[in-house]
Amino acid sequence: MKTKIAIIGAGPSGLLLGQLLHKAGIDNVVIERRSAKYVLGRIRAGILEYGFVDLMREAGVHTRMDAEGLRHDGFEIAIGEDRTRIDLHGLTAGKSVLVYGQTEVTRDLMEARIGAGLPTHYECEVIELRGLNTGKPTVVFRSDHEDCVLECDYIAGCDGFHGVSRRSIPGDTLREHEKVYPFGWLGLLSDTRPASDELIYNKSDRGFALCSMRSESRSRHYLQVPLSEKVEDWSDDRFWDELKARVPADVASTLETGPSLEKSIAPLRSFVAEPLQYGRLFLAGDAGHIVPPTGAKGLNLAASDISTLFTLLVSIYEQGRTDLIERYSETCLRRIWKAERFSWWMTTMLHHLDGTDIDRKLIDAELDYYLNSEAGLTTIAENYVGLPFDRLE
Ligand code: FAS
Ligand code: PHB
């Protein structure tokens, strides 16, 4: 089996890259260890930066996103009863974000790939990458208990945090930077009216809560919980009661509750692997970095990686250039670290953290400054809508 680009992982990173390459006429194969149904069943991100939206349009998979996505020109930060709106549109000369679930992004990309008749090997696990420093690397994957070999020119490691790609970079080359937060997010998905027209990030004495949505009739809410918590200990009623206790009274008084469609606890970490490339292997998306979801950056960082990798591969195949290859990692990392910073900042500012009294006073003072100054609000807004994608040259 041969192709130009072997893509490991059929999450948003792998599928978006595959679609962009297909439109550019660059042959590619996607290998995914789970079933398509399983991949679609994972409930994750909900906010798309304008850069992600533009990339979906470039990939030609924007019709449903444009029809069903909800443009949001702002969001709120509530400190107890004190609500501040971050006017994204006004503070960023007209930029906004789009509420459109990662599940829908993945569905659109899957359908486009099926429609184009492109090869996607589901329920096939990549077990080894070979020849990364040769001109003909190979991907070994298991299919129906048989080992199969895919020859290619380049490998896109889009296989997420627990994938095989990052582990294929030698230990004396790879540097991993990690910060694990001492709490998780308990998320609940329900067919209930959203708590408000826009997202509300709530800082309360009982802990952080986020009121988000997937549509005007489907909500996604989160509660900060200790890492020791088990999802089975959280009945729907307990979740709703705790959410009401963490949001402003007027939000709680009109909050529509209902049965959960999904409930899960996700740990929070900041993680960056360097470099994001090794020989003919390029890491993109969660394979190379993880952010705490407080800044809504996880999925969106995957988009900027994919944009850079796609631009690089086009320069190789359409212009015969190889001089840009060694710039991939440094180009991606510049934007990644700035998104890591913003995600860490939002997490540190808004969550209930252990620490001394003065630690909490200093954080409260910083948040008070940011929420009451044009410069502070602008900083939050331009990071939230997404910083510009960095260019390879
Ligand atoms: P993914 O992990 O989505 O996809 C990688 C794919 O590779 C998977 O399908 C996996 O099965 C496959 N794979 C792994 N190893 C393989 C192998 N050896 N062979 C073949 N295939 C292999 N981001 C936000 O912006 N907001 C959020 O609220 C948010 N919430 C999240 C909640 C959770 C529980 C998690 C885990 C992540 C969340 N994220 C959120 C981040 C998330 O959206 C990621 O950024 C996004 O899924 C990144 O997409 P990919 O890079 O494609 O990685
Ligand atoms: C979500 O809707 O899942 C969501 C929105 C914003 C975040 C994190 C998660 O910061």
Side-chain angles (χ1 to χ4, degrees):
M1 218 184 303
K2 290 181 79 166
T3 188
K4 287 193 171 70
I5 313 300
I7 300 173
I8 308 174
S13 294
L15 291 175
L16 185 52
L17 178 63
Q19 179 63 13
L20 288 165
L21 291 171
H22 163 64
K23 281 181 66 68
I26 299 174
D27 188 42
N28 66 87
V29 171
V30 173
I31 305 170
E32 166 57 52
R33 73 177 165 191
R34 300 286 192 174
S35 67
K37 183 170 182 278
Y38 182 96
V39 174
L40 281 175
R42 294 189 300 228
I43 305 300
R44 289 187 173 168
I47 300 295
L48 306 186
E49 294 174 353
Y50 71 92
F52 196 116
V53 170
D54 291 347
L55 207 54
M56 288 285 280
R57 292 211 175 93
E58 184 179 345
V61 290
H62 54 281
T63 306
R64 197 163 68 96
M65 179 187 73
D66 285 344
E68 298 177 15
L70 301 175
R71 196 186 94 177
H72 276 206
D73 290 335
F75 70 94
E76 287 190 59
I77 291 178
I79 315 296
E81 294 297 321
D82 184 12
R83 298 169 67 168
T84 302
R85 182 173 186 267
I86 313 297
D87 176 10
L88 298 175
H89 192 266
L91 291 164
T92 65
K95 294 188 182 80
S96 57
V97 293
L98 194 75
V99 171
Y100 193 65
Q102 175 173 326
T103 304
E104 305 320 314
V105 167
T106 308
R107 194 190 317 278
D108 294 340
L109 288 164
M110 277 182 183
E111 287 173 359
R113 193 163 180 88
I114 293 166
L118 299 175
T120 310
H121 300 274
Y122 284 101
E123 299 182 87
C124 292
E125 178 158 17
V126 172
I127 52 176
E128 189 183 354
L129 308 184
R130 293 176 182 159
L132 292 179
N133 283 316
T134 70
K136 280 289 168 209
T138 57
V139 172
V140 182
F141 64 95
R142 182 118 336 130
S143 174
D144 295 331
H145 309 293
E146 292 283 317
D147 281 4
C148 304
V149 178
L150 176 64
E151 295 177 21
C152 56
D153 297 341
Y154 296 94
I155 301 170
C158 300
D159 47 347
F161 185 66
H162 301 290
V164 66
S165 298
R166 191 174 68 250
R167 296 201 305 267
S168 302
I169 298 178
D172 60 1
T173 302
L174 186 70
R175 296 180 307 283
E176 295 182 317
H177 310 277
E178 183 170 51
K179 179 184 181 64
V180 178
Y181 297 85
F183 44 78
W185 276 19
L186 166 62
L188 180 143
L189 187 71
S190 58
D191 277 339
T192 56
R193 191 181 61 256
S196 180
D197 292 343
E198 296 178 329
L199 273 64
I200 310 177
Y201 291 74
N202 305 273
K203 181 170 188 173
S204 84
D205 293 340
R206 298 175 67 92
F208 171 82
L210 170 60
C211 298
S212 183
M213 63 192 80
R214 290 293 178 271
S215 70
E216 286 163 355
S217 61
R218 177 164 288 191
S219 298
R220 179 72 170 165
H221 299 300
Y222 296 94
L223 295 174
Q224 171 188 353
V225 293
L227 282 174
S228 54
E229 286 293 305
K230 301 275 181 290
V231 67
E232 50 268 24
D233 295 337
W234 282 84
S235 68
D236 290 359
D237 287 346
R238 182 185 177 195
F239 184 96
W240 292 117
D241 289 346
E242 187 58 34
L243 181 63
K244 285 179 181 174
R246 297 190 188 186
V247 300
D250 60 342
V251 175
S253 64
T254 56
L255 188 69
E256 181 186 356
T257 65
S260 59
L261 303 172
E262 187 268 355
K263 232 176 344 192
S264 54
I265 295 179
L268 272 65
R269 77 177 79 236
S270 300
F271 173 86
V272 179
E274 294 182 335
L276 294 174
Q277 65 189 99
Y278 180 76
R280 294 282 180 120
L281 169 66
F282 300 98
L283 303 185
D286 277 17
H289 44 76
I290 297 286
V291 285
T294 328
K297 292 290 156 247
L299 176 60
N300 291 297
L301 267 183
S304 48
D305 292 349
I306 292 305
S307 176
T308 303
L309 182 51
F310 172 61
T311 304
L312 171 62
L313 294 170
V314 166
S315 74
I316 293 170
Y317 286 99
E318 288 190 0
Q319 299 147 23
R321 294 183 61 176
T322 54
D323 59 307
L324 298 177
I325 288 179
E326 70 271 3
R327 293 189 196 169
Y328 170 77
S329 183
E330 66 183 83
T331 302
C332 292
L333 284 169
R334 280 197 67 214
R335 189 172 190 271
I336 289 164
W337 277 112
K338 284 183 267 191
E340 290 280 349
R341 182 211 66 83
F342 178 67
S343 304
W344 159 81
W345 186 84
M346 286 282 278
T347 303
T348 305
M349 290 297 116
L350 299 175
H351 285 71
H352 202 284
L353 303 174
D354 294 333
T356 63
D357 191 39
I358 190 165
D359 290 335
R360 276 193 288 278
K361 287 284 188 187
L362 290 169
I363 287 171
D364 289 347
E366 176 155 348
L367 198 48
D368 182 27
Y369 164 72
Y370 270 81
L371 296 182
N372 293 285
S373 92
E374 182 83 5
L377 291 167
T378 302
T379 298
I380 295 172
E382 62 183 19
N383 279 278
Y384 197 84
V385 298
L387 299 178
F389 287 8
D390 289 293
R391 300 178 61 81
L392 274 170
E393 60 178 345

